[in-house]
Amino acid sequence: MLCVECGAAMRRTDEPITDVYKNEEITVEGIPHYKCDACGDTVMDADALGKWATAADEVSKAARRSRKGERCRESVVKEILTTDSMSL
């Protein structure tokens, strides 16, 4: 298969795919695809694209939950520090 972007040969692989999804850089592993080593373009068939989208959505949700937890912890710490300083 030739790359539609640069015309170089593409190779079939299942190495991790890193891309921007919902404004976040994510990495999804185990999805078969074609990759161009010359320009970095990636091509997937419809089945692989569906699997990637599902996996990417889960990775994105997990990242948002993690950040939400961090913000929640930061709020609790600020509240504790504010409460402690008021009692001095």
Side-chain angles (χ1 to χ4, degrees), residues 25-76:
E25 185 176 282
I26 60 160
T27 300
V28 176
E29 298 182 17
I31 306 293
H33 60 282
Y34 288 91
K35 179 165 179 133
C36 177
D37 291 323
C39 72
D41 194 31
T42 300
V43 175
M44 294 175 242
D45 64 22
D47 183 51
L49 185 58
K51 290 177 183 176
W52 182 87
T54 300
D57 205 36
E58 290 302 314
V59 169
S60 179
K61 285 177 187 176
R64 282 194 308 272
R65 282 192 303 268
S66 176
R67 280 195 307 281
K68 185 177 179 182
E70 288 172 10
R71 285 193 301 271
C72 183
R73 284 189 296 279
E74 288 172 4
S75 295
V76 169

Side-chain angles (χ1 to χ4, degrees), residues 1-4 7-12 33-36 43-44:
M1 173 177 218
L2 296 180
C3 177
V4 296
M10 298 185 87
R11 63 181 171 82
R12 188 161 171 81
H33 60 282
Y34 288 91
K35 179 165 179 133
C36 177
V43 175
M44 294 175 242

